[in-house]
Amino acid sequence: MVTGAAGFIGAAVAERLCARGDEVLGIDSLNDYYQVSLKQDRVAHVRAATPDAFAFKQVDFSDWEALSAALEGEEFDSIVHLGAQAGVRYSLENPRAYVEANLMGHVNLLEVARHRGCAHMVYASSSSVYGGNDKLPFSVEDRADHPVSLYAATKKADELMSETYAHLYRTPLTGLRFFTVYGPWGRPDMALWLFTDAILSGRPIKVFNHGEMWRDFTFIDDIVSGVVACLDNPPADDGEEKAGGSVKPHALYNIGNHRSEKLTKVIELIEQACGRKAEVELMPMQPGDVEKTYADIDAIQRDIGYQPTTSIEQGIPQFVKWYREYHGV
């Protein structure tokens, strides 16, 4: 089962799993945080690519009764829990949405994994848990208890609840701290989409912290390879210390590109791919945002063999090409 299957990463993971011969039940609430049509198009894209292997149900996994009813009679041996209320900035406007989806929803999925005896649940955490840490690159061994947004706080809470379930019920769990994922079928609330849309429309782009921003941009294909590899390698219940420090069957990994790119360089690559210059509006830092992210991926490389291969010079033109085809511009 893949949650958030209409989302950017969820749809891509579902498609990859189906393509290799797995049968996937995708669930998603199709909420309107951004345009529902894009979510529906992602589901249709996965269905078209793998019609016999993919089933989809619209359900809000933070509603226990609705989730239980939707899963009645369904069988699955593992879970990739990627559904969440996403976005750092929106958590300042609508905190309850994050508590419902990211806390109640996560507990519900832990309960499903526990009661069904699932072999493994891989779940989405976030690089935002590192908050204002200024030691770079971010390592899973670093303390992560000073979040600067509610979104980050909910993701850290998910890790703590997962540790409890791994301890009490020995459920094998792997949390993935994603770093700025981008690529075809991406999210409209993220910088790459916003910048591409504005440049192609001739509108100015807003660049925060006066352009002094660095992100570990990670291409979707590399992320999906990492998620699937983690799914195939559940942490052992052997009392040994796992990545992230747990001695339970619970591992935590950074999943990024292991390169921190300055935002102004990313803008230049988008300009090249669009064939036009950006009009830039320099803005101050936004509340809840951080200046730099940079993933130490030693643990996931060592344990899982994860190796990102796509540079932003390769990935950004692929995103812009997809964007233009999708919108017919």
Side-chain angles (χ1 to χ4, degrees):
M1 179 169 74
V2 176
T3 73
F8 174 31
I9 304 174
V13 167
E15 184 179 357
R16 179 80 66 88
L17 289 171
C18 290
R20 74 172 192 172
D22 293 338
E23 290 184 348
V24 174
L25 170 65
I27 66 170
D28 199 296
S29 68
L30 298 175
N31 75 7
D32 61 359
Y33 167 62
Y34 59 79
Q35 59 259 43
V36 177
S37 59
L38 175 62
K39 299 180 180 188
Q40 292 168 330
D41 288 344
R42 290 193 192 112
V43 171
H45 174 76
V46 179
R47 271 207 179 109
T50 54
D52 300 326
F54 181 66
F56 179 79
K57 290 191 174 187
Q58 183 176 348
V59 60
D60 179 354
F61 57 70
S62 67
D63 179 336
W64 178 249
E65 278 69 34
L67 179 64
S68 300
L71 297 183
E72 188 87 31
E74 297 287 354
E75 289 186 20
F76 44 89
D77 52 17
S78 55
I79 299 172
V80 185
H81 176 36
L82 300 171
Q85 178 55 61
V88 169
R89 289 164 191 157
Y90 184 60
S91 66
L92 279 75
E93 299 167 35
N94 191 353
R96 285 177 182 80
Y98 289 78
V99 171
E100 287 166 14
N102 300 2
L103 298 183
M104 285 304 303
H106 191 74
V107 169
N108 286 349
L109 265 298
L110 287 170
E111 280 288 282
V112 170
R114 168 198 168 196
H115 287 295
R116 287 178 174 247
C118 284
H120 193 195
M121 182 169 106
V122 175
Y123 66 91
S125 185
S126 167
S127 59
S128 66
V129 300
Y130 293 109
N133 286 16
D134 50 17
K135 173 190 158 289
L136 293 170
F138 298 150
S139 164
V140 286
E141 272 67 48
D142 296 342
R143 288 186 66 167
D145 42 15
H146 298 286
V148 296
S149 69
L150 182 70
Y151 170 70
T154 63
K155 287 300 190 178
K156 179 62 180 174
D158 289 347
E159 294 179 356
L160 294 172
M161 291 188 287
S162 298
E163 175 68 7
T164 308
Y165 270 69
H167 169 68
L168 291 174
Y169 310 114
R170 318 315 290 187
T171 306
L173 298 162
T174 298
L176 298 177
R177 293 174 175 174
F178 290 106
F179 282 72
T180 314
V181 188
Y182 76 98
W185 296 101
R187 276 193 4 227
D189 62 326
M190 295 190 72
L192 218 67
W193 182 300
L194 294 168
F195 290 168
T196 301
D197 180 49
I199 291 168
L200 291 173
S201 307
R203 299 192 316 275
I205 63 174
K206 292 180 177 178
V207 179
F208 295 102
N209 204 33
H210 306 286
E212 295 299 308
M213 300 281 274
W214 285 259
R215 289 289 179 272
D216 196 322
F217 286 91
T218 317
F219 193 63
I220 182 63
D221 292 6
D222 290 332
I223 286 285
V224 172
S225 295
V227 173
V228 171
C230 283
L231 182 65
D232 292 343
N233 289 276
D237 190 3
D238 56 7
E240 296 293 316
E241 187 172 317
K242 312 298 185 294
S246 178
V247 293
K248 317 302 189 309
H250 180 213
L252 288 173
Y253 294 114
N254 288 334
I255 182 164
N257 201 30
H258 193 50
R259 290 178 62 173
S260 198
E261 310 282 5
K262 193 170 185 184
L263 203 53
T264 47
K265 181 183 178 185
V266 169
I267 293 165
E268 287 171 14
L269 290 169
I270 299 171
E271 288 174 329
Q272 288 170 21
C274 291
R276 59 184 78 175
K277 297 292 284 181
E279 188 186 329
V280 176
E281 242 180 78
L282 295 175
M283 310 283 285
M285 191 70 150
Q286 283 205 305
D289 223 339
V290 296
E291 185 180 322
K292 294 182 181 180
T293 68
Y294 179 18
D296 177 337
I297 58 172
D298 288 354
I300 194 171
Q301 286 176 314
R302 177 191 70 228
D303 296 352
I304 308 295
Y306 169 73
Q307 191 59 53
T309 59
T310 313
S311 67
I312 56 171
E313 289 81 3
Q314 297 166 302
I316 286 173
Q318 288 189 53
F319 169 74
V320 173
K321 179 175 182 286
W322 169 84
Y323 181 94
R324 298 186 89 144
E325 287 170 356
Y326 183 73
H327 291 92
V329 292

